[in-house]
Amino acid sequence: MDSDIGHRKRALRAELRERRQNMTSVERDAATAGLTANLQSITLDLSARSISCYLSSRNEPNTRPFVNWAESQGIRVLFPVSRDDGLLDWTVGEDQTETPGLAGVPEPAGELLGPIAINDVDLIVVPAAAVDATGLRMGWGRGYYDKTLGSMEKCPPVYAVIYDNEFVDEVPREVHDQPVDGLVTPSRIIAF
């Protein structure tokens, strides 16, 4: 059973990855504009003073304009930094430089604040490959966010960032998969 779910996830991830790689720069720019506006809207609705958000890699929905806006508003932004043990450290990235993390994703350089720093934020913005109609998030298979979210005692709202066509009827589910409270796409915000 589990190998079947793993196989279905791998196939779906490959399809989504290819779809992202085939987007034009015009499509990407339009998506970034809509996404930034929607992320700003959620942040303002929650009166968030501290958030966590990842730095997007090349084919991911672009979070950088949103992060720049948040920082310009005086909102504290925690960025994830991957660790060998599968957990995430956090930093405010005060060095203003980026390095590739363990999985090759961009990570800001700065003082590491430890895994529990995430407990103090008002909003968590996470990457995803797809999210389904029940709020189940499928990530890219490394499990960092499932571990992090699964270990939090009281979790602030968690929103996954995806493109419009990655909101699907159903994603294959495994025991460790963590749901999200909502999703943000270039054209909409959905709370579950």
Side-chain angles (χ1 to χ4, degrees):
M1 170 70 179
D2 274 354
S3 67
D4 177 51
I5 292 172
H7 179 72
R8 283 175 33 223
K9 277 187 171 180
R10 279 190 299 279
L12 183 54
R13 281 186 191 114
E15 179 189 325
L16 295 168
R17 200 172 278 123
E18 185 174 338
R19 213 183 281 165
R20 283 184 176 187
Q21 283 165 345
N22 290 334
M23 286 178 77
T24 67
S25 59
V26 172
E27 288 171 323
R28 227 177 266 286
D29 291 346
T32 298
L35 198 65
T36 302
N38 287 339
L39 284 167
Q40 289 170 340
S41 173
I42 290 172
T43 305
L44 294 169
D45 287 350
L46 292 171
S47 303
R49 299 308 309 148
S50 179
I51 64 173
S52 84
C53 186
Y54 65 100
L55 286 177
S56 49
S57 54
R58 201 169 55 82
N59 288 324
E60 285 183 306
N62 189 355
T63 57
R64 281 176 176 77
F66 164 67
V67 165
N68 293 340
W69 168 84
E71 290 178 336
S72 77
Q73 301 297 305
I75 296 169
R76 182 171 184 251
V77 182
L78 285 185
F79 299 98
V81 177
S82 49
R83 297 174 13 151
D84 289 328
D85 62 5
L87 296 175
L88 292 169
D89 267 328
W90 301 92
T91 182
V92 291
E94 67 276 7
D95 295 355
Q96 299 293 316
T97 56
E98 293 177 23
T99 56
L102 293 176
V105 296
E107 295 179 353
E111 181 190 350
L112 295 181
L113 306 173
I116 64 167
I118 184 81
N119 290 330
D120 299 328
V121 301
D122 303 316
L123 167 67
I124 299 176
V125 178
V126 299
V131 177
D132 74 14
T134 69
L136 191 65
R137 167 191 172 271
M138 182 178 79
W140 294 103
R142 294 183 291 270
Y144 286 110
Y145 284 97
D146 289 322
K147 280 192 191 82
T148 297
L149 300 175
S151 70
M152 293 180 74
E153 277 178 35
K154 64 178 200 24
C155 200
V158 178
Y159 278 79
V161 172
I162 54 174
Y163 289 114
D164 288 300
N165 60 8
E166 295 165 349
F167 179 44
V168 298
D169 291 336
E170 186 184 8
V171 297
R173 178 174 206 141
E174 290 178 282
V175 172
H176 62 264
D177 290 333
Q178 296 291 321
V180 291
D181 299 300
L183 63 85
V184 182
T185 74
S187 72
R188 56 191 171 169
I189 300 167
I190 298 175
F192 297 110

